[in-house]
Amino acid sequence: MKRYFDPWIARTRHLLKAAQGRPVALALLFGLSLLNLTSEWPSDIPRPAFVDALDAALPDSFKTARQILFDQYQRHFPRVPTAQPVTIVEIDEETLATVGQWPWPRNRLASLVDAIDALKPLAIGLDIYMPEPDQTSPDKVAANLPKSAAALAAGLRALPSHEAILERSLRAAPTILGAAPLDHATSAASTDLRSAPILVHGADPLDSVQRFDYVLASLPELQAAAHGQAMLSVALEQGVVRHIPLIMGLREKLVPSLPMEMLRLATGSSAIDVFADTSGVQAVGVADVQVPTQPGGDIWLHFASIRSTLSRYVSARDVLQGTVDPDRIRNKLVLVGLTGAGVTDMRTTALGELVPGIEIQAQVIETIVEGRFLRRPTWLKWAESAFIMTFGLLIIWYVPRRQSRLAVFIRAVPKGSTVLGLLLHLLNVLCCFLIFIRFGLLVDAASIFIILSAVMGCFLTPALLHADESGRTETTHAQGREEADGRTGKARGP
């Protein structure tokens, strides 16, 4: 096996020693920098075809390392909530045991909406889809009765349907219905949503945002009764939620997310503002609040630990029974969702915690209200690339110079130079982490570390190989001297 690798090792040594390793270092610097840009192409320039081909051939080349690093930023410095504008009315295990299994008849859901509305919230967002008629409604039950029960059927048909009851409750309260985006058609899917207007300032951002062709929304009469409609969507990357879209596209129409629609209704605004240019969405706003976004209309969410937000949860059972503290609801943005086992969607956050999907929507609202945003603007990607290229070229120019202090140090103490390199990279990570804490900027220290380590390795490797060869030569000479001394001793004899 050793003989098989010896030619490759020899070629590698020769290549690294050629022109003092500069050609290999330059090739790595430019090649890895291009690969890094490919994994996160800046939105302010068109994406060439070869970039797509390179990304397909080497998917997630730097993306995974970048995501892990950004997760570590948050895990070491999670957001600590300073306000609690959101209350989650959870349909939990206790509620299901008391009120009945899910899905509930629509009149029972109407009772919950009425009970919440009586406590004067600013807005009520329902993370619930109702695309089909309630089969427990009196008219539906009447249709399934035998002919012998004609009188009973007539009496049932005279009662209001469960949809009609829920319509009245939705119309009377400041309610918003959620809807689920779909990429494919289903029997219950539709292609439109009755959403509030979105006013675009600047270029049309429709091609920049995440777009869907279908939506799983509530019945048209329920949509008409509610005061708003919103799309519920999270962006999953390897099963983890890191950023959330504030606006999305439904075919040729822009539609809001639940957090933005909740804020629109709570502030009494008639529309949501979107500020965009040719590179994509720059900000999404409502009333006097503007949220800086990524070009795709999404935000990186700075998560708070679920342990610090448990106080926002209120059992729907307590609301229905009238035992909840009114201050938990009054002047709050209320989200209604399922958290009972087996009936909820659980999501993994950047903190590594498994939380209900409704919790993520609450954290988006909380982040906007607090004004504490994480940002990774396009200029930051260019700044990172400029730093990598500048520092990389400086390494390539300075390190191989035989009389430079660093070159002398590397030749004298090869292992010490490795320690020096690690210390510099730790300083890089520390600086990027401090920038995250102070300014909320996501600086990609991982790519800086990987690329500059590869460049520096082109000069450290020959020094290490030289030290290894010198060590082997010295060992061989020592063994030779010992053998010679041994033979001399035997020749002299007693």
Side-chain angles (χ1 to χ4, degrees):
M1 182 64 71
K2 183 177 181 299
R3 290 180 179 177
Y4 176 81
F5 286 109
D6 280 346
W8 293 98
I9 294 173
R11 290 193 190 98
T12 302
R13 287 177 179 174
H14 177 73
L15 193 62
L16 289 173
K17 290 179 180 178
Q20 298 178 304
R22 284 191 172 105
V24 177
L26 280 170
L28 280 175
L29 177 61
F30 283 96
L32 292 178
S33 296
L34 176 61
L35 201 59
N36 181 33
L37 280 176
T38 300
S39 69
E40 192 183 26
W41 191 258
S43 59
D44 56 349
I45 58 176
R47 187 178 172 95
F50 80 89
V51 169
D52 292 326
L54 189 60
D55 197 27
L58 298 169
D60 298 334
S61 50
F62 283 84
K63 188 176 181 180
T64 299
R66 185 184 303 121
Q67 290 172 342
I68 291 173
L69 175 72
F70 292 165
D71 290 351
Q72 290 303 314
Y73 285 169
Q74 296 209 42
R75 293 181 187 188
H76 286 87
F77 191 73
R79 183 175 57 84
V80 178
T82 57
Q84 195 174 91
V86 181
T87 293
I88 294 177
V89 174
E90 56 174 337
I91 302 174
D92 54 4
E93 291 291 327
E94 292 76 12
T95 303
L96 296 175
T98 303
V99 180
Q101 67 181 9
W102 190 263
W104 288 349
R106 304 276 160 78
N107 61 330
R108 192 170 299 165
L109 183 59
S111 298
L112 178 60
V113 172
D114 292 340
I116 296 171
D117 184 48
L119 300 176
K120 306 300 180 184
L122 293 176
I124 305 172
L126 286 86
D127 184 10
I128 298 168
Y129 322 130
M130 295 170 281
E132 298 173 340
D134 184 352
Q135 297 302 312
T136 66
S137 194
D139 57 327
K140 301 295 182 184
V141 174
N144 290 322
L145 292 177
K147 292 182 179 179
S148 57
L152 177 59
L156 288 171
R157 289 191 179 94
L159 296 174
S161 69
H162 289 174
E163 275 78 26
I165 295 172
L166 182 56
E167 282 177 50
R168 286 198 295 269
S169 298
L170 294 175
R171 190 171 286 108
T175 51
I176 297 166
L177 293 176
L182 299 173
D183 288 319
H184 57 278
T186 67
S187 58
S190 60
T191 58
D192 197 11
L193 192 68
R194 293 172 62 103
S195 57
I198 292 182
L199 301 180
V200 176
H201 305 269
D204 186 357
L206 195 58
D207 291 334
S208 301
V209 302
Q210 188 177 14
R211 293 175 69 175
F212 300 91
D213 290 326
Y214 302 95
V215 63
L216 187 64
S218 297
L219 295 168
E221 58 268 31
L222 297 179
Q223 290 189 49
H227 294 259
Q229 314 291 321
M231 291 267 255
L232 292 162
S233 178
V234 295
L236 290 177
E237 296 173 315
Q238 298 176 338
V240 178
V241 178
R242 296 183 175 92
H243 44 94
I244 309 293
L246 296 187
I247 58 167
M248 287 155 277
L250 180 58
R251 299 210 169 189
E252 302 303 316
K253 176 182 179 181
L254 288 173
V255 293
S257 65
L258 183 58
M260 294 309 301
E261 185 66 357
M262 292 277 287
L263 292 171
R264 182 197 67 80
L265 187 59
T267 57
S269 303
S270 59
I272 293 172
D273 296 301
V274 173
F275 302 88
D277 58 23
T278 54
S279 64
V281 181
Q282 299 302 309
V284 177
V286 60
D288 58 349
V289 176
Q290 277 195 25
V291 184
T293 67
Q294 297 301 115
D298 58 316
I299 60 169
W300 288 85
L301 186 56
H302 194 177
F303 283 97
S305 173
I306 186 68
R307 294 186 296 274
S308 66
T309 65
L310 289 176
S311 59
R312 74 161 108 251
Y313 286 83
V314 172
S315 176
R317 179 191 63 180
D318 296 338
V319 176
L320 288 168
Q321 293 177 350
T323 58
V324 67
D325 181 358
D327 289 337
R328 302 289 300 278
I329 305 293
R330 185 179 296 114
N331 294 328
K332 299 282 188 179
L333 297 164
V334 177
L335 294 171
V336 181
L338 299 159
T339 62
V343 294
T344 184
D345 63 322
M346 303 296 289
R347 304 290 185 180
T348 302
T349 70
L351 301 181
E353 298 177 334
L354 197 63
V355 304
I358 197 71
E359 167 68 19
I360 294 174
Q361 304 296 331
Q363 293 216 22
V364 176
I365 297 173
E366 196 171 70
T367 298
I368 294 173
V369 171
E370 293 179 355
R372 297 166 63 187
F373 311 114
L374 294 184
R375 296 179 297 141
R376 183 158 172 76
T378 301
W379 66 260
L380 183 58
K381 302 174 193 177
W382 289 118
E384 291 169 357
S385 297
F387 176 83
I388 290 171
M389 293 300 299
T390 301
F391 207 86
L393 290 172
L394 183 63
I395 291 172
I396 293 169
W397 169 76
Y398 180 75
V399 172
R401 299 175 66 197
R402 300 190 62 82
Q403 301 308 315
S404 69
R405 293 181 180 180
L406 184 58
V408 172
F409 177 70
I410 290 175
R411 288 195 299 271
V413 191
K415 293 182 180 179
S417 60
T418 303
V419 174
L420 177 62
L422 289 175
L423 289 176
L424 289 174
H425 285 308
L426 286 175
L427 179 62
N428 162 46
V429 173
L430 179 61
C431 290
C432 293
F433 182 59
L434 292 176
I435 291 172
F436 169 81
I437 294 174
R438 178 66 180 83
F439 302 104
L441 291 173
L442 295 166
V443 185
D444 185 10
S447 296
I448 297 173
F449 171 80
I450 293 170
I451 297 174
L452 294 183
S453 293
V455 172
M456 195 66 185
C458 294
F459 308 115
L460 288 178
T461 303
L464 293 172
L465 289 173
H466 177 73
D468 183 57
E469 289 174 354
S470 300
R472 288 182 181 179
T473 302
E474 183 63 31
T475 301
T476 302
H477 288 167
Q479 290 174 348
R481 285 194 298 269
E482 290 176 0
E483 290 176 0
D485 291 342
R487 286 194 298 269
T488 303
K490 287 181 181 180
R492 289 175 181 173

